[in-house]
Amino acid sequence: WTCNIDGRPARMRWRVVDATTTSCDGEVCSTVAGSRYKGSFSDNGSQWVALTDAKRGKQGGLYFRHADGNQWYLPQPTGGRTNGWTTWNGSRYKLSCWK
């Protein structure tokens, strides 16, 4: 994704990764198949950093954390575009991304 974070160019990428878990009780094991999002972000050409804890919101969209620990949000894209927000030091900033 090509993005704009508070007026600066940026890039974001997401991929789906395996999150299958297996647990055993003695000799009986069970496996639950699953997947999760793994993301990364580059602000103005800087080094790529991790986007973590991606979770769907109650009304759609995706909440996640930047590598600095701040929460971000992007609504479900419409027409290949989404407009959400980032947080930094308790303040919100615009985040727009498009494909």
Side-chain angles (χ1 to χ4, degrees), residues 3 8 11 40 43 47 54 62 64 75 77 81 85 95:
C3 301
R8 297 183 315 274
R11 304 272 302 159
S40 54
D43 183 350
Q47 184 175 9
L62 196 63
F64 52 94
R81 185 172 191 86
W85 48 261
L95 175 63

Side-chain angles (χ1 to χ4, degrees), residues 5-51:
I5 179 171
D6 198 37
R8 297 183 315 274
R11 304 272 302 159
M12 184 182 298
R13 56 187 177 203
W14 290 99
R15 60 188 176 117
V16 177
V17 296
D18 182 34
T20 299
T21 58
T22 300
S23 59
C24 298
D25 184 8
E27 292 184 20
V28 178
C29 296
S30 62
T31 299
V32 176
S35 61
R36 65 178 175 82
Y37 290 110
K38 183 173 183 176
S40 54
F41 188 80
S42 174
D43 183 350
N44 205 17
S46 66
Q47 184 175 9
W48 288 91
V49 297
L51 300 174

Side-chain angles (χ1 to χ4, degrees), residues 31-91:
T31 299
V32 176
S35 61
R36 65 178 175 82
Y37 290 110
K38 183 173 183 176
S40 54
F41 188 80
S42 174
D43 183 350
N44 205 17
S46 66
Q47 184 175 9
W48 288 91
V49 297
L51 300 174
T52 60
D53 299 326
K55 294 182 178 40
R56 288 267 176 216
K58 290 180 183 176
Q59 297 177 340
L62 196 63
Y63 288 92
F64 52 94
R65 293 206 178 275
H66 184 269
D68 63 16
N70 286 296
Q71 187 173 55
W72 293 15
Y73 174 73
L74 285 172
Q76 181 73 32
T78 303
R81 185 172 191 86
T82 181
N83 296 299
W85 48 261
T86 69
T87 54
W88 175 253
N89 290 334
S91 297

